[in-house]
Amino acid sequence: MSADTAKQKVYKPRPVTGFPEWLPEVRLVEQQWFDHIRRVFESYGFCSIETPSVEELDVLRAKGEVDKEIYVLERLHKDENDTSDARLALHFDQTVPLARYVAQNFNDLVFPFKRYQMQRVWRGERPQKGRFREFYQCDIDVIGVDALPIHFDAEMPAIMWEVMSGLPGMENEKIQMRISNRKILLGYLAALNIPTKDGSTTKLSEALKAQILREIDKLEKLGEAIVLSRIEESGLHDGLGFGLDGFIPPFLKICQTKFSNSSDLHEALTMSADIDTSNSMLREGIEELSFVLDALAHLPKGAVVADLSIVRGLDYYTGTVYETVFLEDPGYGSICSGGRYDDLAGSYINKHLPGVGISVGFSRLFARMVDQGKIDVSRKSPADVMVMMPHEDKRPAITQLCQKLRARGLRVEMFHAAKKFPDQLKYASRKGIPYVWITEEDGTYQVKNMLTSEQVKADPATWTPEGRKIDEAA
């Protein structure tokens, strides 16, 4: 056998599209994002849960028509004698696992149950900019039994505003949280009396109302003319003896109205001749949305608006709904969304479990900030300090110094070999480590600030990096 044929074949790896993978300096900031989000969630009393990456396929299908998004798991070499009907699949969101989790653990949970989840999810869609097959979502939900107070609907956007405004790199982004209540539009449509050809009146079918709301959700993106044509093309009004031109245009006008406060909202919707406020669902939606707006009045001006075109495309939302957009990049779509639902786990348990939740499309948002160069990736290491190695015989003493600094809560890297000092400094500089400790011959220490090149004497028992608090009890 020749030397060439004896060589081991090498497989040249290539990236798998739709599955993001970051270099250490980017991953470092990603971890800072996770840490910040976790701190905010927990500061409001939300507890962390983690569910398996897989669910039974029947559990995932209980949510509706989502088969095209589901990755099913199969072994490469299946046991031909295995006749089990159970099939496993990767979860495509965190709502379905939460519903199953609450149903299975109902007797052990304290309600209202406040949980957060920060995990990967998987969807079988075509990879493109801002859309992945594997990505992180960061969700919070509050689940009640039989009823859930409306003030939780206001707490969700307040929490997410705190999350968004504190993420590293997001400081200069102008975002807006747009809030609505599906009961307003559903009540409006339910109250309509549509004239027919024989002179009588009729009501819209549930199917047609649901179709109208699904299309309204695309109003800002597609425009009024296209939305109207899509509703007409659905054919759900065929045979009822009426056209859409009589009631859809005024309805679209209402949908495109925005309000910055509850007073304007209440006046516009209760005083309009086009709106029949006798419908109880419509009135309830107005009152709930007004309450949420009032509860969020402490946020900066323009941070929150009532936008009646926000309905969310999923029919299981029943009340308050949220979307969050970049004001200077509206075409990017929502970066944070959610809403109120009447029954989380009805498919799994005979209990009425209303809830409200909101989710950050973490990977999609983070990737945008990386692509636009708004993430500081100057550091390739989490270390606060690198301790130089002057001689190999000094390793025990250097190791002891590192342990002293770590005991005070500092992140410390010890240089791996007794190389020339310029080589060690170059290593620290390339990794973005901000401080370097140098051991003098007399046993004292100097600390070099790698940004300013300033070098001063330091005591490991008291030295603190500039701008950082050290937990002495750590």
Side-chain angles (χ1 to χ4, degrees), residues 80-227:
E80 294 181 357
N81 297 320
D82 185 2
T83 58
S84 172
D85 291 330
R87 297 179 66 197
L88 299 179
L90 296 170
H91 57 234
F92 58 86
D93 74 355
Q94 294 179 150
T95 304
V96 172
L98 173 62
R100 191 265 310 151
Y101 180 95
V102 172
Q104 287 186 345
N105 298 284
F106 179 82
N107 292 327
D108 297 314
L109 300 177
V110 178
F111 293 89
F113 177 51
K114 301 177 68 172
R115 86 83 172 88
Y116 74 87
Q117 225 169 321
M118 298 162 54
Q119 289 185 239
R120 286 186 173 99
V121 299
W122 294 265
R123 292 184 186 174
E125 54 185 347
R126 183 173 63 86
Q128 53 187 298
K129 195 175 185 65
R131 290 201 176 274
F132 302 109
R133 291 172 173 170
E134 177 185 69
F135 54 95
Y136 280 101
Q137 283 186 331
C138 299
D139 294 12
I140 48 174
D141 285 82
V142 184
I143 312 301
V145 179
D146 295 329
L148 187 70
I150 187 66
H151 66 77
F152 284 117
D153 293 42
E155 186 176 64
M156 293 287 144
I159 293 170
M160 283 305 177
W161 179 264
E162 191 171 333
V163 165
M164 292 293 174
S165 58
L167 288 172
M170 287 280 289
E171 297 88 353
N172 298 318
E173 294 294 326
K174 295 180 180 178
I175 64 172
Q176 185 175 74
M177 308 196 78
R178 297 176 179 177
I179 304 176
S180 186
N181 193 300
R182 285 172 64 100
K183 294 177 182 177
I184 295 174
L185 300 188
L186 283 171
Y188 175 94
L189 293 174
L192 290 175
N193 292 308
I194 308 297
T196 63
K197 291 179 179 179
D198 62 9
S200 61
T201 60
T202 187
K203 296 290 187 179
L204 300 179
S205 68
E206 293 301 317
L208 181 53
K209 285 188 287 186
Q211 176 67 23
I212 290 172
L213 288 194
R214 280 192 289 270
E215 297 304 332
I216 292 301
D217 195 49
K218 309 178 184 75
L219 185 59
E220 185 174 65
K221 181 179 179 180
L222 301 180
E224 185 174 323
I226 294 178
V227 165

Side-chain angles (χ1 to χ4, degrees), residues 5 8 64 84 86 141-142 178 182 203 214 232 270 283 302 328 340 343 359 374 402 427 471:
T5 57
Q8 182 179 357
S84 172
D141 285 82
V142 184
R178 297 176 179 177
R182 285 172 64 100
K203 296 290 187 179
R214 280 192 289 270
E232 289 176 335
T270 58
R283 292 199 309 272
E328 296 176 348
R340 162 79 69 140
D343 195 5
S359 174
K374 296 179 179 179
C402 292
Y427 175 86
D471 182 5

Side-chain angles (χ1 to χ4, degrees), residues 243-302:
L244 300 178
D245 56 335
F247 73 90
I248 287 292
F251 179 66
L252 292 178
K253 181 179 178 182
I254 293 170
C255 292
Q256 295 179 81
T257 309
K258 294 181 175 64
F259 307 95
S260 58
N261 58 71
S262 62
S263 298
D264 291 346
L265 168 76
H266 208 274
E267 181 179 351
L269 297 185
T270 58
M271 303 299 290
S272 172
D274 295 326
I275 301 176
D276 180 2
T277 55
S278 65
N279 182 274
S280 59
M281 179 183 289
L282 186 147
R283 292 199 309 272
E284 189 174 283
I286 294 172
E287 294 305 318
E288 289 179 357
L289 184 53
S290 297
F291 177 90
V292 172
L293 287 176
D294 288 340
L296 297 172
H298 65 285
L299 295 181
K301 184 177 180 181

